[in-house]
Amino acid sequence: QVQLVESGGGLVQAGDSLRLSCVASGRAFSTYRMAWFRQAPGKEREFVATINRSGGTPYYAGSVKGRFTTSRDNAKNTVYLQMSALNAEDTAVYYCAANIPPLSGSLWSPSTYDAWGQGTQVTVSS
């Protein structure tokens, strides 16, 4: 089973930028669709962004579109989430997730993804 490890979270000011990284174990990373989700206290886990196995056609939640960018480096088994213009509503634990083929289900649903990282905390102070 693939293991995912996120890093890059922290405490920032509103308007700042932050880049999260997620490193996957194993040799099959380039076959996985990857996604980012987040979960704020008392709320359900919500979709943030997803990217296909070749790094094309990313999709974003409306709340982050234009501010967040996801990318991947298959040579490094790593997916990134570049976040800019952060605000207090972005405060959450951020998780990366991997879909192991075949893809079945909605790209925006947590149940579509087979492996999850432990999460990294992002706190934005206003």
Side-chain angles (χ1 to χ4, degrees):
Q1 177 76 337
V2 60
Q3 295 190 352
L4 304 173
V5 179
E6 303 98 335
S7 62
L11 172 63
V12 297
Q13 300 282 337
D16 284 352
S17 298
L18 203 59
R19 188 176 83 158
L20 306 183
S21 300
C22 172
V23 179
S25 64
R27 296 187 168 193
F29 177 75
S30 63
T31 69
Y32 305 151
R33 169 174 285 277
M34 299 299 295
W36 291 93
F37 287 78
R38 67 186 181 185
Q39 188 165 19
K43 295 187 176 181
E44 293 188 354
R45 192 166 297 190
E46 67 169 352
F47 169 78
V48 174
T50 185
I51 190 166
N52 68 15
R53 58 187 181 181
S54 64
T57 322
Y59 293 101
Y60 300 95
S63 58
V64 308
K65 195 171 186 179
R67 300 188 298 121
F68 290 12
T69 302
T70 189
S71 61
R72 66 190 295 164
D73 185 338
N74 287 343
K76 295 182 178 180
N77 276 22
T78 303
V79 61
Y80 303 99
L81 185 67
Q82 178 68 47
M83 306 183 292
S84 61
L86 286 161
N87 58 61
E89 288 68 41
D90 297 316
T91 294
V93 177
Y94 284 71
Y95 299 90
C96 69
N99 170 263
I100 300 171
L103 179 66
S104 176
S106 166
L107 296 180
W108 301 271
S109 172
S111 63
T112 297
Y113 297 89
D114 307 290
W116 292 82
Q118 82 289 350
T120 186
Q121 176 71 47
V122 173
T123 302
V124 184
S125 64
S126 56

